[in-house]
Amino acid sequence: MSAEALNVEVTVVDPEIAVVAVQGDLDADTGTYLHHQLANQLVHGRRHLVLDLRAVPFMDSSGLGIIIRAINDTKRVDGSVRLAALAPALRRLLDLTGISVTTPVHADPEEALAAIPRTASAHAAAEPEGGASAGADRAATGPVPGSA
């Protein structure tokens, strides 16, 4: 994977919740791409976002800015951002900046999903127990288009 590449895979869990798995360095070159992916989820009514960051080895201040912006954007629609599966270096960065104090951090996306309060409409749309991922909608996007 080149330094400019960022892969984002979105799994829609229910009409209000999406898991966004990020792979690659999150920096000034790739942050805008992630921001667009997160904003797209909000436009489509998914106000609770779980960011699976297990495959993000590096994040700079631009990446932090994208996460903070997503947190603020979801709060405006009574939603939330939950961070999951952080590598030790990312966890340290989020601890040092205080983001991990104000934003829930979970061991994995499943734990983060279990902690999201569900509304009555989300319960009606949710899948039965035991099949939570079997019918989840998936939208995968490729690497960030290279900057010329």
Side-chain angles (χ1 to χ4, degrees):
M1 179 178 300
S2 70
E4 303 90 35
L6 185 76
N7 289 311
V8 175
E9 183 178 296
V10 174
T11 302
V12 176
V13 177
D14 75 29
E16 294 188 338
I17 302 170
V19 176
V20 180
V22 184
Q23 179 182 17
D25 290 346
L26 187 49
D27 55 26
D29 292 332
T30 61
T32 301
Y33 179 68
L34 179 59
H35 168 70
H36 288 294
Q37 294 295 318
L38 298 175
N40 185 49
Q41 295 311 306
L42 289 170
V43 165
H44 287 92
R46 290 177 277 282
R47 59 192 185 95
H48 296 287
L49 303 174
V50 174
L51 297 183
D52 180 350
L53 302 174
R54 78 182 74 223
V56 176
F58 172 81
M59 182 188 316
D60 68 5
S61 61
S62 299
L64 288 171
I66 297 304
I67 290 175
I68 292 167
R69 188 169 181 181
I71 292 165
N72 291 334
D73 290 348
T74 57
K75 282 182 181 177
R76 280 195 274 285
V77 294
D78 293 323
S80 64
V81 169
R82 293 177 179 274
L83 306 173
L86 301 176
L90 244 54
R91 178 61 193 241
R92 180 163 157 63
L93 178 63
L94 295 173
D95 288 348
L96 287 171
T97 59
I99 292 173
S100 63
V101 173
T102 60
T103 303
V105 177
H106 300 276
D108 54 49
E110 294 76 20
E111 180 183 291
L113 287 170
I116 296 173
R118 305 293 173 108
T119 62
S121 63
H123 278 302
E127 296 168 6
E129 281 187 49
S133 63
D137 294 328
R138 289 190 160 275
T141 56
V144 175
S147 53

